[in-house]
Amino acid sequence: MWKTAIDDAIAKTLKNIERFEGKFPHVSSNGTYELNENNDWTNGFWSGMLWLCYEYTQDERFRNAADQTVTSFHQRLKDHVVLDHHDIGFLYSLSSKAQWIVEKDEAARQLTLQAADLLMNRWCEPGGYIQAWGQKGDAKEGGRIIIDCLLNLPLLYWASEQTGNPSYMEAARIQAEKSRRYLVRGDDSSYHTFFFQLETGEPIGGATHQGYTNGSTWTRGQAWGVYGFALSYRYTKDKKFLEASKRLARYFLEHLPDDHVAYWDFNAPIENNTYRDSSASAIVAAGLLELLSLMEQQDPERLYFQEHLEKSMTSLVQKYATIGEEDAEGLLKHGSYYVHGGLSPDDYMIWGDYYYLEALMRLEKGIGGYWYEGK
Ligand code: GLY
């Protein structure tokens, strides 16, 4: 089943190279991807899909398209195009870092290190955290961390490995610990975002941006936590992060509906037309694969996570994927971007497509994405 799903995804991605004409897909409306010129937080996912397809097929058409995206990422960094946010990690891990991992391209490595420096510039004192959004020290945004940032940290961990400079690793480790302490709640659910007092670093409280309410659990935030804490454990070997990933994963899996694919927020009232977020389930599937690769062989929970992974992926492939719909642009239907903001509540999300493909390729061929080297 995984191979059929991969073949379908590869055929669609090849078609999309032509269709997108060098632009980057973001989210869809009415089944058509919104395209941009590499100026959004999501642009690395398209690059990552192209690198995955190239690794799987060795077809130069994917390599050439992926290489072109990296050229665009060089220019983006040079011109500092919409880079005043923490998602520099998503952008450069899946584009230039991927190129370095796949073909040891030195210019790509250098670009990725520059991107890591840019992310480090978002470190805020006295609070000691990476500011999520906006200009550094911004009156409204200066005190905000968000759970999504956990996926940006591998860029910093990797930069320490590459340069021997421990400061990137230290910043990432502190950010992960701060996320664990302030974003993860006692019942293993999570806040999307948390604020600190900008001037003193004192904690203020949790809130949401894309979730149902400030105290609810936004499904995708929980998903970023599952995968992100597992990756922090991989790099730091700090058992607290492995435990955090497992806690968030258990909560996620225990609150799924019968078809094993999440609604958009765990506290949203369930009615006939409540939106799903298939992208959150795709992130968790990829995250569970990472978690399983890190857990001890004799860990009694292995079977539990394995069974849930199988059920979620089967449901995504059989009920959410566009397999057989030849003209479909996206791979996964029923993702939601920002329900209360009225933005693409039931559409394709390019990160949903990316994580779905990453999970499939890891299941089928052990190709695990570009968050770390040496798989
Ligand atoms: N990182 C933004 C989102 O998940 O929508």
Side-chain angles (χ1 to χ4, degrees), residues 41-42 45 86-87 90 133 146 148-149 152 192 209-210 218 220-221 224 277 279 283 336-338 349 351:
W41 72 275
T42 51
F45 297 111
H86 65 155
D87 289 327
F90 280 118
W133 300 328
I146 71 172
D148 321 29
C149 187
N152 291 318
H192 179 195
H209 179 67
Q210 279 145 285
W218 178 50
R220 194 158 65 252
W224 294 133
D277 183 10
S279 76
I283 295 162
S336 60
Y337 186 23
Y338 182 9
M349 315 278 114
W351 59 89

Side-chain angles (χ1 to χ4, degrees), residues 123 128-130 145-147 149-154 156-157 168-184 196 224-225 227-236 238 240-242 244-245 247-248:
W123 186 255
Y129 54 82
I130 294 170
I145 64 167
I146 71 172
I147 196 161
C149 187
L150 288 163
L151 269 291
N152 291 318
L153 302 183
L156 299 182
Y157 292 126
Y168 304 96
M169 164 79 96
E170 192 51 11
R173 197 190 56 73
I174 294 172
Q175 178 76 13
E177 177 52 14
K178 220 145 233 171
S179 304
R180 193 186 72 85
R181 179 145 178 226
Y182 293 103
L183 291 165
V184 180
F196 296 91
W224 294 133
Y227 202 168
F229 281 119
L231 288 167
S232 272
Y233 172 66
R234 172 174 288 277
Y235 278 104
T236 64
D238 184 337
K240 288 197 295 286
F241 299 142
L242 182 69
S245 172
R247 287 171 58 200
L248 268 63

Side-chain angles (χ1 to χ4, degrees), residues 182-240:
Y182 293 103
L183 291 165
V184 180
R185 294 185 287 234
D187 65 353
D188 304 343
S189 66
S190 57
Y191 286 117
H192 179 195
T193 172
F194 194 95
F195 285 96
F196 296 91
Q197 235 282 332
L198 185 57
E199 290 77 21
T200 64
E202 289 295 309
I204 298 173
T208 197
H209 179 67
Q210 279 145 285
Y212 181 61
T213 61
N214 282 337
S216 74
T217 300
W218 178 50
T219 318
R220 194 158 65 252
Q222 188 86 3
W224 294 133
V226 172
Y227 202 168
F229 281 119
L231 288 167
S232 272
Y233 172 66
R234 172 174 288 277
Y235 278 104
T236 64
K237 297 288 170 281
D238 184 337
K239 283 253 158 60
K240 288 197 295 286

Side-chain angles (χ1 to χ4, degrees), residues 7-52:
D7 289 346
D8 183 88
I10 284 172
K12 289 199 169 86
T13 306
L14 198 54
K15 221 179 222 181
N16 283 341
I17 293 175
E18 297 294 318
R19 193 181 253 149
F20 297 161
E21 295 179 327
K23 296 198 177 75
F24 291 79
H26 172 53
V27 293
S28 71
S29 47
N30 300 322
T32 303
Y33 260 119
E34 293 169 19
L35 302 176
N36 64 53
E37 306 275 357
N38 200 353
N39 57 17
D40 215 320
W41 72 275
T42 51
N43 302 125
F45 297 111
W46 173 236
S47 194
M49 287 177 74
L50 294 168
W51 286 117
L52 285 175

Side-chain angles (χ1 to χ4, degrees), residues 52-63:
L52 285 175
C53 288
Y54 174 56
E55 278 208 90
Y56 190 87
T57 61
Q58 296 299 306
D59 183 331
E60 287 294 318
R61 289 174 292 181
F62 290 114
R63 195 238 155 238

